[in-house]
Amino acid sequence: MGNRVAVVTGAGSGVGRSAALALLGGGYAVALAGRRREALEETAEMAKGAEALVVPTDVTDPEAVEALFAAVKDKFGRLDTLFNNAGGGAPSTNFGDVEYETWRKVVEVNLNGMFLCANAAYRMMRDQDPQGGRIINNGSISAHAPRPGSAPYTTTKHAISGLTKCISLDGRVHNIVCGQIDIGNAATPMTARMAGGVPQPNGTVMPEPTMDVSNVGNMVLMMANTELSANIQSVMVMASDMPFVGRG
């Protein structure tokens, strides 16, 4: 498992930071990508001397994504794992009131950005010697069932499931595997609102339990450490008591 190289997008906070720290702690050299240099440098400092490369990146910008993977190739020579994590949502809005600009912004990051990063990683893994690598896409519980008022976010996460399967299938000829992690209620800034209550399918608003985000980082590390002859195609990790399994 030594001398492996990973890229983590959205590595400046939350799930991305947790995964980056888990990979760095597991012996990986990790390129930390995200929009805010200060947040990425903070993640690198938390890694306590592990080999981290800070690369500020807007994943919606094709040139910035190409520059990210060029920097990884220049620094490390190869790429073994991409945790394709960067994403975002929008305020809960009934579908009839969703504005196109809100839709466009969510699609730009959650779908187009994930395509750009996966595509660049795929080409790098295909062209390196030895050939191959692993792409882990961050889906969501919303890839299986929506929350009320979540059309832009939920639609993109359903799309990521299709993207994951296509990469997994097309990658076979190049020894590239692709899996998806679907996360429910990890305690991050993005889910802090859940303590005050979030809309439920029956029209009520109620607080929801969360889990420590380190559970996600540990799962990403396990997926990354799986040999390329096997693939964790899909895994779901969520707070045990969240209202997902059952009627809403």
Side-chain angles (χ1 to χ4, degrees):
M1 295 294 178
N3 302 316
R4 291 195 174 187
V5 178
V7 170
V8 176
T9 64
S13 63
V15 164
R17 172 173 284 177
S18 176
L21 293 175
L23 289 163
L24 287 161
Y28 284 74
V30 180
L32 308 173
R35 291 174 298 172
R36 298 173 296 143
R37 176 180 289 276
E38 297 80 4
L40 298 175
E41 290 176 344
E42 187 175 273
T43 300
E45 290 171 4
M46 294 170 68
K48 299 178 181 178
E51 192 168 9
L53 174 66
V54 171
V55 189
T57 307
D58 177 356
V59 298
T60 69
D61 180 351
E63 292 185 0
V65 171
E66 289 298 323
L68 165 64
F69 287 91
V72 172
K73 184 175 182 180
D74 183 62
K75 175 69 174 180
F76 302 117
R78 65 174 291 106
L79 175 63
D80 299 288
T81 300
L82 165 66
F83 181 40
N84 204 11
N85 165 70
S92 179
T93 306
N94 182 274
F95 181 72
D97 298 318
V98 174
E99 296 182 353
Y100 175 71
E101 185 61 17
T102 299
W103 173 274
R104 187 194 65 78
K105 287 181 178 179
V106 174
V107 170
E108 191 71 17
V109 177
N110 288 8
L111 184 55
N112 296 346
M114 291 191 78
F115 161 77
L116 289 171
C117 291
N119 184 252
Y122 186 105
R123 286 184 278 110
M124 186 171 174
M125 293 170 177
R126 177 195 65 193
D127 297 341
Q128 65 194 9
D129 184 21
Q131 192 178 63
R134 182 179 308 275
I135 296 170
I136 303 169
N137 290 327
N138 185 354
S140 171
I141 291 288
S142 293
H144 301 269
R147 289 184 178 278
S150 68
Y153 183 82
T154 295
T155 301
T156 60
K157 293 306 182 179
H158 274 68
I160 293 307
S161 295
L163 178 66
T164 298
K165 292 173 183 177
C166 287
I167 297 170
S168 184
L169 184 59
D170 288 357
R172 291 175 179 176
V173 68
H174 303 300
N175 199 31
I176 298 170
V177 300
C178 185
Q180 180 168 320
I181 181 168
D182 295 321
I183 303 162
N185 290 14
T188 69
M190 189 174 177
T191 60
R193 72 188 191 284
M194 291 181 177
V198 290
Q200 301 298 309
N202 64 357
T204 63
V205 174
M206 61 174 279
E208 291 190 10
T210 58
M211 63 177 174
D212 193 282
V213 71
S214 64
N215 290 292
V216 180
N218 292 337
M219 187 65 69
V220 171
L221 178 62
M222 182 182 77
M223 295 173 78
N225 279 343
T226 303
E227 294 296 333
L228 293 180
S229 58
N231 188 29
I232 300 174
Q233 183 67 42
S234 177
V235 63
M236 185 183 293
V237 56
M238 65 181 184
S240 300
D241 298 331
M242 69 175 291
F244 174 73
V245 180
R247 295 182 183 270

